Amino acid sequence: MKVEVESLDSVRKNIEVVLDESKVNELREGIYQDLKKHAKIKGFRPGKVPRSIIQTYYKDYIEDELKRKMVEETMGDALSETKVEPVSEPRVEFLEDEGRFGYKMECEVVPEFETPPYKGIEVEAEKIDVTEEDIAKRLESMQQMHTQLMDREGDQPAQKGDFVIVKYEASHDGKPVKGVKAESYPLDLGSANLTPEFENGIVGMKVGEEKEIAIPFAADYPDKDVAGKTLLFKVELKEIKEKKLPELNDDFAKDLSFENMDQLRAEVKKGLETEKEGQRKNIIAEQIVNSLLEKSDFPVPARMAQKRAEMLVEDARSRMKVGTLSDEEDRSLNTALLKEYEPEAQKRIKMGLILAKIAEQEGLKVEDSEVDERLQRIAEETKRAYDYIREFYEKYNLRGNLKTSMLEEKTMNLLIENAAVKEKQ
């Protein structure tokens, strides 16, 4: 086997692999012998089909299988011999020269680049300061979370701040709208969970009262089935409940497993400090990333960037609430999202390459035992058995990605520890 490598540019290398004729004949013979055992051709018993017949019947298959086996059996050795490490799937093109058997593969590789100075990067961040106002707001939030819902006494109508149960059904031009109905829908009036017109229409209603509320939907509303239409909602108010807030006292603290309010306040303050430390760390990390990217000028492999952008789009679409789309609308949405996420994909790849090089220069590593510890933490956080999490990561080949992510995290922590932080006044 003869292997030659040629640099096309800083992120692409072309490798030509030419196989000896004897090796090609060996591969071709193996394909023929396999076909001879399993070929089913009318008029011949299995294993007794003449070679010439097999070659005629399976000509295209033999050629395709020969190409596949040439690549399968030699690509690893060719990459090892040339010391090329592709960062994306190589593009293979087979040689068509008479008497030459082999292929060329275009490989995307990590470009050569110098890391910019990464220690002592100047950043700005606010001092961690938890105020009494911060503590009061968090306690108020906890108080709201433990609100009790009490049946409304008397005949007072619903008002903002009430929790109500409604029955509704929507129609358009006198016909029911499929899927837009509920027998007992819980609604916190004033929370803006539904359209303002719907909530405002319920304010002032009494239990047992029925009402019709017309609600227009914008042309660009995500649900295409109702976009641009005005639906008529027939609403019945079934229940009104008032919110009863617990008092912020020692009894409230004890309900949350604290001895008293002083202990609860101390724990709240500690939690807020941890949150602000995390926020400060993220702000510092973002400035470090921007600084390193601004001082780094090297190209990103195109197919690698395309693949990353497609992954970002797939993730974004999984979180989007989109109604039924036509094929054309779906393609347009995908094209728009790819264009939107391409810069982010480039940024993430570039930063990943920079962090990897810094980690190498600093001798940073992530041991398998550290990965196991992280998997244990994931199991605890998700309330799953450790063996289930470990097997899941191994089954879907996610362990390597986790290890890379942990190494980037370790490298970023080093950069944060060595940053020149100026506190904002």
Side-chain angles (χ1 to χ4, degrees), residues 33-75:
Q33 292 298 333
D34 187 59
L35 280 172
K36 185 178 179 181
K37 294 176 186 176
H38 303 98
K40 294 181 179 180
I41 299 177
K42 189 175 181 179
F44 297 94
R45 287 180 297 164
K48 299 298 182 179
V49 183
R51 188 185 190 103
S52 59
I53 299 296
I54 289 177
Q55 289 175 330
T56 300
Y57 266 75
Y58 293 98
K59 179 181 178 182
D60 292 341
Y61 171 81
I62 292 171
E63 290 306 310
D64 289 343
E65 189 67 3
L66 177 61
K67 289 177 180 179
R68 187 185 70 79
K69 283 187 174 292
M70 282 196 299
V71 174
E72 184 182 84
E73 296 198 12
T74 62
M75 179 183 283

Side-chain angles (χ1 to χ4, degrees), residues 98-117:
E98 186 70 31
R100 295 177 78 223
F101 301 93
Y103 57 93
K104 292 181 180 180
M105 54 179 170
E106 182 187 295
C107 303
E108 289 189 325
V109 296
V110 173
E112 294 291 331
F113 65 93
E114 294 293 326
T115 55

Side-chain angles (χ1 to χ4, degrees), residues 239-275:
E239 295 180 47
I240 301 177
K241 294 184 179 292
E242 294 179 322
K243 297 177 183 178
K244 184 179 179 181
L245 294 176
E247 291 186 35
L248 292 175
N249 52 27
D250 288 346
D251 289 337
F252 178 75
K254 288 175 182 176
D255 286 341
L256 298 177
S257 302
F258 295 96
E259 290 183 5
N260 50 44
M261 276 300 294
D262 288 340
Q263 189 182 65
L264 174 56
R265 286 176 61 84
E267 193 63 28
V268 166
K269 183 177 182 180
K270 182 180 176 182
L272 287 168
E273 287 173 344
T274 300
E275 286 180 19

Side-chain angles (χ1 to χ4, degrees), residues 338-361:
L338 277 172
K339 186 175 181 180
E340 178 183 345
Y341 281 102
E342 279 174 1
E344 180 63 20
Q346 296 257 354
K347 178 180 176 180
R348 292 192 186 190
I349 292 172
K350 207 168 188 178
M351 196 61 215
L353 295 176
I354 294 171
L355 290 175
K357 193 156 190 176
I358 293 174
E360 182 182 3
Q361 292 173 353

Side-chain angles (χ1 to χ4, degrees), residues 201-217:
I202 294 172
V203 172
M205 290 179 67
K206 295 181 179 181
V207 173
E209 184 179 346
E210 294 185 356
K211 186 177 184 179
E212 291 186 339
I213 305 171
I215 300 178
F217 289 84

